[in-house]
Amino acid sequence: MTIRLISDLHLHPGAPEITEGFLHWLETRACGCDALYLLGDIFEAWIGDDLLDLAGVDPSGNADLALRVARALRRLADDGTELYLMHGNRDFLLGERFAEEAGVTLLPDPSVVAPGGKRILLMHGDSLCTLDTAYQAFRAQARDPLWQAQVLSMPLPERIALAKQLREQSGEANSNKAEAIMDVTPEEVVRVMDAQGVTTLIHGHTHRPAVHDLSVAGKAATRFVLGDWQPGQGWEIVIEEGQAPRLQHFALGG
Ligand code: MN
């Protein structure tokens, strides 16, 4: 049994090295594994699944990128790998149509899974950053089905402009925030792990890849943080039968 987990690829047409590296990774390292978990922010932005209709005619390249990724994931799914996708704070509008085309199952955040028997809590990680109250207010709005329906009913060009505006606002806001605010709140991590009854948590989002030891309800526990992909380097967590999860980075080839 081999399970792989990744997050924070932030795929977009402006970073072709990461896209090519990811597609190569799917065909080589990921190929043949039993399950692949995509834990959010796979895409830098997602403005609606109808983006797929624009493949071949969208000058930004976003539609072609989305279709290539969907097809590559589909090949893996067709070869027998179970694929699961959790939303991040960038691609939270990713919907059932993309999921179907890519052969992935959408996973709620948080989700507890038990590959190989041991219960593991999976999250994107943004909900753990509770000190960032401005972001948490936006998150609550962005996860509201009514707000999402409203946004998805806007014409595509308006949605593209909105996504750009949100990214710029987030970039400006984040450059003024203290380091601790941008990271997870330790007490929130313990609270969520205790509530879910787990001693293992895997998440991404913070771009601070690490393995943290902590204590949850008097038990030794571990929090694994996935890294963000860069040109030339990717991050993954691998779980093999009877072994603890392993966080590792690797060279991204094209
Ligand atoms: Mn994120």
Side-chain angles (χ1 to χ4, degrees):
M1 180 203 78
T2 304
I3 310 291
R4 289 178 194 274
L5 304 97
I6 59 175
S7 72
D8 302 284
L9 279 66
H10 294 271
L11 298 175
H12 67 102
E17 307 95 324
I18 302 179
T19 303
E20 299 310 321
F22 174 52
L23 295 173
H24 183 69
W25 179 86
L26 284 175
E27 284 172 10
T28 52
R29 289 172 81 100
C31 176
C33 72
D34 298 275
L36 169 62
Y37 290 85
L38 306 153
L39 296 185
D41 288 355
I42 302 310
F43 293 99
E44 172 73 1
W46 192 266
I47 53 167
D49 291 4
D50 50 355
L51 177 69
L52 294 167
D53 294 330
L54 299 184
V57 296
D58 164 29
S60 77
N62 278 298
D64 292 344
L65 167 67
L67 191 63
R68 279 185 78 197
V69 169
R71 287 186 174 153
L73 291 172
R74 187 51 184 256
R75 275 195 291 279
L76 203 65
D78 287 345
D79 284 346
T81 299
E82 288 178 22
L83 298 179
Y84 299 96
L85 186 143
M86 186 176 278
H87 290 130
N89 53 302
R90 300 305 192 103
D91 50 12
F92 58 87
L93 285 177
L94 219 142
E96 285 296 344
R97 175 173 165 196
F98 175 85
E100 210 164 290
E101 295 217 17
V104 308
T105 302
L106 294 178
L107 267 191
D109 180 2
S111 283
V112 175
V113 298
K118 188 172 162 51
R119 284 162 49 80
I120 299 173
L121 176 60
L122 305 180
M123 304 177 81
H124 176 59
D126 54 328
S127 64
L128 297 168
C129 303
T130 55
L131 293 179
D132 192 349
T133 49
Y135 170 69
Q136 293 304 331
F138 169 74
R139 187 179 194 273
Q141 179 193 49
R143 302 301 176 110
D144 174 19
L146 263 176
W147 185 87
Q148 292 197 357
Q150 241 169 32
V151 169
L152 291 174
S153 70
M154 287 161 59
L156 265 169
E158 278 180 40
R159 276 181 271 153
I160 291 168
L162 175 67
K164 186 162 172 271
Q165 186 197 334
L166 289 174
R167 275 202 308 284
E168 282 168 3
Q169 278 171 2
S170 139
E172 269 169 39
N174 290 350
S175 62
N176 292 321
K177 281 176 191 164
E179 283 287 292
I181 290 180
M182 301 293 293
D183 204 353
V184 301
T185 309
E187 295 80 12
E188 179 65 4
V189 168
V190 172
R191 189 192 70 74
V192 171
M193 292 180 76
D194 190 21
Q196 299 282 348
V198 296
T199 53
T200 305
L201 164 64
I202 296 176
H203 71 83
H205 178 66
T206 60
H207 300 189
R208 299 175 194 208
V211 180
H212 299 275
D213 293 321
L214 66 156
S215 171
V216 175
K219 291 188 200 139
T222 316
R223 173 169 71 96
F224 295 85
V225 188
L226 282 157
D228 57 311
W229 290 35
Q230 300 283 345
Q233 179 177 276
W235 286 89
E236 66 180 358
I237 286 174
V238 183
I239 304 175
E240 273 161 316
E241 191 87 56
Q243 291 181 30
R246 201 166 69 240
L247 170 69
Q248 57 194 25
H249 57 88
F250 49 86
L252 262 194

